[in-house]
């Protein structure tokens, strides 16, 4: 048992909802459960459905059975067994470990925060990442991300093959005798990801004006001579790590404006990549992309309800979450060796179209190592 | 602007992570954003990436642009713009609406709860569902769940066809010349779900002893003469509603013990279904399944780290979440008309195997309406 001055840390989430919990436990638990961290050991409290599996497969130093702990907690707290919820369980463990200070992650459920607060514990919510170490990827984690990107690339290559085989019929693309839609191409991409062991959600296949809204997934018929953004960020089922890659294609003939736009995005990606190395400021990487666009004459501005130009950040951390720290944007963060980040500048002008090109790199002392691989040819005649 | 006595409600989550946010906004927003509810109106605060889409497609009465609100909040609160995070934004709106009472959902992030608390607001965390109405499904929602179950059924039928076409080769099943594994069958099921417009995650294909751990997804070769549990709970991409269906198959020849086990599970499902109607207590439905098992001589008990028998609840609410209230278990809840629940008793004995049979129903005044449809034949010679 710890001294009164020490801190106990609680997490309460499922491994699906919390990358921190998956990182800590290393085991798949679909419903929320309690993880406990003291200075020396980690504990999990799981119900009988999870007990034998978590005991056999997880990283926890000790796994406890909820059905055994509940009556003990009820007794210590003087409550009926039915009134012992997760918050009361936490109070029980805080008493058992004789601590007064409790630390929880930013996304900890408010309902248990309130229970602990009312019970008089001194509560601290960790600002920023709960496990800062999670940003630095080990070799095994980098391989896991690479596998995710291989699934992305396989999906994008399948899409490219479909576009190549498609024929232009007036203002539509026809594939195997039927009109090619965003939805149909997305299904093909996602099915290929599954073959590679990864589940893709919210895959973006957006052409023309739709592509100018970066969070529009795309719907309806795809058209010739329009830029089509394909952004695939599947999660490998076995490890939980993600891939995240984007390529922009055009079936037919590009206009000079479209060619200039794509070249600018490629140039911005190269400029941003050239700025990546351990110790570099993330906002300097973002500025490199911004400056490239400014020099090429592309403005970022508002027109009515829409925003055009380079309207998002240059990148984000990638791992057990699709979006995790560090942010490669105007925010003040420093890149460190073994950070894994995306570099994905884009330009969006409804009259020309949208283009985004995204790859994933692992930061090294002198620069970066690529974790995604796929060619950049984009005009498909 | 409201009177000082009124309450303001805040949600802060992405539509992927919070079914409440998706229910309220009716629009897909992949990153967390602020939703605000006053007595009269609903508001969203989104960044420039989301603004035009959320303005055009969401249910909110008013959509505000984060980049416009931030400087206003900074000015009112006397902070630098960079120091205005989501918690500070909430303080700004509480001031603007002149309220002192704030209500948040149970899963509201602790970090913003702490900010509001320190700012002196009277905070209430809603216990139980934030939108109780979400449990009662409209006709359109019931259709959406039915569509999810159609995807589940299509996946399970595809698995059945694969088992039928497979040949028994000693202790293994061989499909199209290659050993049939849980992973391979899962990929086929999930690909069929995608064809039906639904993304399946964590699909269970578990045979033999693996099936006796209800949260083991299954891995490695599937074997003849063993019960194989197939549980498919995909999410329809367009609506966000889930299906959830389970069937148990056996390729080869069942033993008398296996037949008795499957018959008991079918019987328990029928008994539980017979108890379903508006006004019924959920724990009475659970007890109907338990009693059926007890009468058939099946005990639920612990042996070492494992638990055998009927070791989980009879069912759960289904909708925008795979697991949502009400719980059909020992908990005290009452079923109401238009609740949508699963009924999925199961038995798990490592020496015989595991069996679970799951369907989805919508509670009616006199009984229930089925939202899933698939036959129950399970022995595949």
């Amino acid at each position: 048992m710890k001294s009164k001055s020490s801190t106990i840390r609680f997490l309460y989430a499922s491994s699906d909802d919390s990358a921190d919990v998956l990182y800590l436990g290393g085991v798949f638990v679909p419903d929320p459960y309690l993880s406990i961290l003291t200075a020396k050991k980690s504990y999990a409290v799981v119900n009988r459905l999870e007990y034998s599996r978590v005991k056999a497969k997880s990283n926890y130093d000790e796994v406890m059975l909820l059905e055994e702990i509940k009556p003990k907690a009820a007794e210590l707290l003087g409550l009926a067994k039915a009134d012992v919820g997760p918050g009361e369980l936490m109070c029980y463990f805080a008493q058992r470990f004789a601590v007064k200070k409790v630390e929880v992650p930013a996304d900890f459920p408010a309902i248990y925060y309130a229970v602990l607060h009312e019970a008089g514990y001194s509560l601290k919510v960790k600002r920023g990442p709960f496990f800062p170490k999670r940003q630095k990827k080990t070799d095994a984690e980098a391989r896991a991300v690479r596998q995710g990107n291989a699934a992305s690339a396989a999906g994008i290559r399948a899409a490219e093959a479909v576009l190549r085989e498609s024929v232009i019929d007036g203002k539509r693309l026809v594939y195997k005798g039927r009109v090619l839609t965003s939805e149909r191409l997305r299904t093909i991409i996602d099915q290929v990801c599954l073959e590679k062991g990864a589940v893709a959600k919210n895959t973006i296949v957006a052409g023309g004006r739709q592509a100018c809204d970066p969070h529009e997934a795309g719907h309806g018929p795809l058209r010739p001579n329009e830029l089509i953004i394909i952004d695939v960020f599947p999660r490998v089922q076995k490890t939980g790590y993600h891939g995240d890659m984007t390529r922009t294609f055009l079936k037919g003939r590009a206009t000079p404006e479209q060619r200039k736009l794509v070249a600018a995005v490629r140039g911005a990606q190269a400029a941003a990549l050239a700025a990546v190395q351990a110790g570099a400021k993330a906002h300097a990487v973002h500025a490199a992309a911004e400056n490239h666009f400014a020099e090429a004459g592309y403005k970022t501005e508002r027109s009515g309800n829409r925003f055009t130009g380079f309207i998002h950040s240059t990148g984000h951390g990638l791992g057990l979450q699709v979006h995790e720290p560090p942010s490669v944007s105007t925010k003040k963060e420093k890149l460190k060796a073994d950070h894994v980040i995306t570099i994905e500048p884009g330009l969006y002008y409804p009259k020309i179209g949208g283009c985004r090109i995204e790859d994933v790199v692992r930061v090294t002392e002198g620069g970066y190592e690529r974790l995604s691989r796929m060619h950049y040819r984009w005009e498909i005649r």
Side-chain angles (χ1 to χ4, degrees), chain A residues 171-173 179-183 210 219-223 226:
Chain A
K171 291 194 165 180
R172 299 202 162 176
L173 299 179
V179 168
L180 184 65
T181 60
S182 289
E183 290 87 345
Q210 287 180 23
H219 59 272
L222 292 164
R223 297 180 190 289
E226 284 190 350

Side-chain angles (χ1 to χ4, degrees), chain A residues 58 168 214 221 248 275 371:
Chain A
S58 77
I168 297 171
T248 301
L371 299 184

Side-chain angles (χ1 to χ4, degrees), chain A residues 254-293:
Chain A
T255 63
E257 288 75 20
Q258 286 167 333
R259 287 196 190 132
K260 185 169 168 264
L261 188 91
V262 174
V265 174
R266 275 285 278 148
Q269 197 197 30
L273 283 169
V276 170
Q277 64 173 350
K281 284 169 181 159
H283 60 85
V285 176
H286 182 56
E290 283 186 320
N291 293 339
H292 186 89
F293 286 137

Side-chain angles (χ1 to χ4, degrees), chain A residues 184-335:
Chain A
R184 196 171 157 211
L185 196 49
R186 179 181 306 123
T187 299
I188 292 167
I189 294 167
D190 292 355
Q191 288 181 325
V192 168
C193 286
L194 280 175
E195 262 162 40
K196 301 288 173 187
V199 177
K201 277 204 317 181
N202 307 327
T203 295
I204 293 169
V205 180
R209 290 179 68 95
Q210 287 180 23
C212 295
D213 181 344
H215 281 169
E216 160 69 54
H219 59 272
L222 292 164
R223 297 180 190 289
N225 314 319
E226 284 190 350
L227 293 168
I228 302 168
I229 292 179
I230 300 183
D231 189 345
V232 187
F233 37 102
R235 182 173 222 200
V236 178
Q237 299 193 68
K238 217 163 209 169
T239 61
Y241 284 83
H242 283 270
D244 192 1
M245 261 183 81
T246 308
R247 289 295 183 269
T248 301
F249 294 102
L250 179 144
K251 173 76 179 185
R253 275 190 184 271
T255 63
E257 288 75 20
Q258 286 167 333
R259 287 196 190 132
K260 185 169 168 264
L261 188 91
V262 174
V265 174
R266 275 285 278 148
Q269 197 197 30
L273 283 169
V276 170
Q277 64 173 350
K281 284 169 181 159
H283 60 85
V285 176
H286 182 56
E290 283 186 320
N291 293 339
H292 186 89
F293 286 137
E295 281 163 24
Y298 289 102
K299 284 183 184 155
T300 298
E301 55 196 7
R302 178 173 183 169
S303 78
N305 283 341
R306 275 192 172 273
F307 295 81
T308 60
F310 180 33
I311 57 182
H312 53 70
S313 62
T314 295
H316 54 80
L318 181 73
L320 289 170
Q321 291 170 286
V322 183
H323 292 168
E324 59 180 45
S327 169
V328 187
S329 66
T330 54
K331 282 184 194 152
K332 285 197 174 132
E333 303 199 50
K334 208 174 238 183
L335 297 180

